[in-house]
Amino acid sequence: MLKDTLFNCDTNEIVKIISSILECIDDYSTITSDVGNNEFWLSRAYAFSKSQHRMLFSKSFGALGCSIPKAIGVSVSNGNKVLCFTGDQGIQINMQELMVISTNNLPIMIVVLNNQASGMIRDREKNRYNKLIHTTKESGYQALNLEKIANAYGLTYYQWDDSYNSLRKVPCIIEVRVCDGELIPFLPKGNPIQKLSPNLTETLYQQLDRS
Ligand SMILES: Cc1ncc(C[n+]2csc(CCOP(=O)(O)OP(=O)(O)O)c2C)c(N)n1
Ligand SMILES: [Mg+2]
């Protein structure tokens, strides 16, 4: 019940898209996650999905660019398909890994949640310093052409659409274009766990306080 209430106040468009991707990956063994807002979207979608897949997070280590290398490790060790989530900045740390995946034809589906921004850093800049530096297109961050990158490494490129199905050819890069802005709700620095921004309703706050 509390979970349902939280899901309804947490869910935005991208979480719904990730949820629908998680619904059709039965033949995949493992999910890997990167760092950034995309990690939180994936966590939310995963927490509310019925997925039993093993999920490898970075969490407090915060190592940007860790998702694709983890996917390679899993795939090489067990030979199974891996669903790998990353962001448009995270993937830029992994050019050589794309070559490894392509050369070895590893069965990895890379889903890039592309908000054309260094999203997590942008949000911190905005909320703490009210100034953006190199984190959005307008402030100097260069948006990626993922199709060209996929082509350069001989990987199949898809843009996500509603007709997604698990039969897509791997290895591949699936681009999900994310339009919504910052990650909400979030926990401002120094706040107790219930004091999210924007504020939870009083009823929900009380429920969390008791649980
Ligand atoms: C190796 C490393 N470099 C930099 C950072 C700081 N950092 C954390 S999240 C992030 C932005 C990630 O952007 P993107 O991959 O596009 O994900 P988004 O937040 O937009 O979903 C950065 C630069 C880090 N955690 N690790
Ligand atoms: Mg991004």
Side-chain angles (χ1 to χ4, degrees):
M1 170 61 189
L2 178 59
K3 212 173 173 186
D4 289 342
T5 319
L6 283 171
F7 187 52
N8 291 332
C9 78
D10 261 4
T11 309
N12 56 23
E13 196 52 37
I14 184 62
V15 175
K16 286 185 187 147
I17 293 175
I18 297 171
S19 301
S20 54
I21 294 176
L22 294 181
E23 269 169 25
C24 37
I25 52 157
D26 279 350
D27 54 340
Y28 283 72
S29 70
T30 309
I31 301 166
T32 60
S33 145
D34 215 288
V35 170
N37 285 354
N38 59 86
E39 178 183 16
F40 289 80
W41 294 323
L42 176 60
S43 308
R44 289 173 188 182
Y46 182 79
F48 294 103
S49 75
K50 296 187 177 58
S51 175
Q52 298 292 313
H53 291 79
R54 194 166 61 135
M55 168 88 88
L56 300 179
F57 279 110
S58 169
K59 285 299 160 200
S60 346
F61 290 113
L64 188 66
C66 66
S67 189
I68 297 179
K70 282 186 293 196
I72 292 175
V74 172
S75 172
V76 168
S77 69
N78 65 18
N80 293 336
K81 282 181 171 179
V82 183
L83 178 65
C84 165
F85 285 89
T86 185
D88 52 290
Q89 188 169 40
I91 194 175
Q92 296 190 62
I93 298 182
N94 297 133
M95 293 299 112
Q96 59 199 334
E97 279 83 0
L98 296 183
M99 190 261 297
V100 170
I101 292 173
S102 171
T103 311
N104 296 285
N105 203 27
L106 298 177
I108 297 173
M109 185 182 289
I110 302 169
V111 178
V112 184
L113 303 171
N114 185 4
N115 55 359
Q116 306 202 348
S118 179
M120 177 165 274
I121 306 303
R122 171 204 60 197
D123 292 355
R124 290 197 184 169
E125 288 179 343
K126 206 168 131 202
N127 292 315
R128 287 194 204 164
Y129 310 108
N130 202 22
K131 188 175 179 186
L132 299 178
I133 306 169
H134 301 307
T135 49
T136 58
K137 272 205 285 190
E138 298 70 28
S139 66
Y141 176 85
Q142 196 174 342
L144 284 183
N145 184 324
L146 280 165
E147 185 167 11
K148 284 190 179 166
I149 289 177
N151 290 340
Y153 286 93
L155 297 166
T156 316
Y157 167 88
Y158 302 99
Q159 197 177 311
W160 190 89
D161 62 49
D162 293 335
S163 59
Y164 174 91
N165 67 63
S166 55
L167 300 175
R168 289 196 162 148
K169 185 175 169 295
V170 285
C172 68
I173 291 181
I174 297 189
E175 177 176 14
V176 181
R177 297 200 176 152
V178 182
C179 307
D180 55 354
E182 63 191 283
L183 179 79
I184 51 164
F186 76 101
L187 187 64
K189 192 166 182 259
N191 276 16
I193 191 78
Q194 301 99 326
K195 281 266 176 209
L196 297 174
S197 174
N199 274 335
L200 296 172
T201 63
E202 191 56 28
T203 330
L204 194 50
Y205 185 95
Q206 305 285 349
Q207 260 180 295
L208 281 174
D209 215 21
R210 285 195 301 272
S211 57

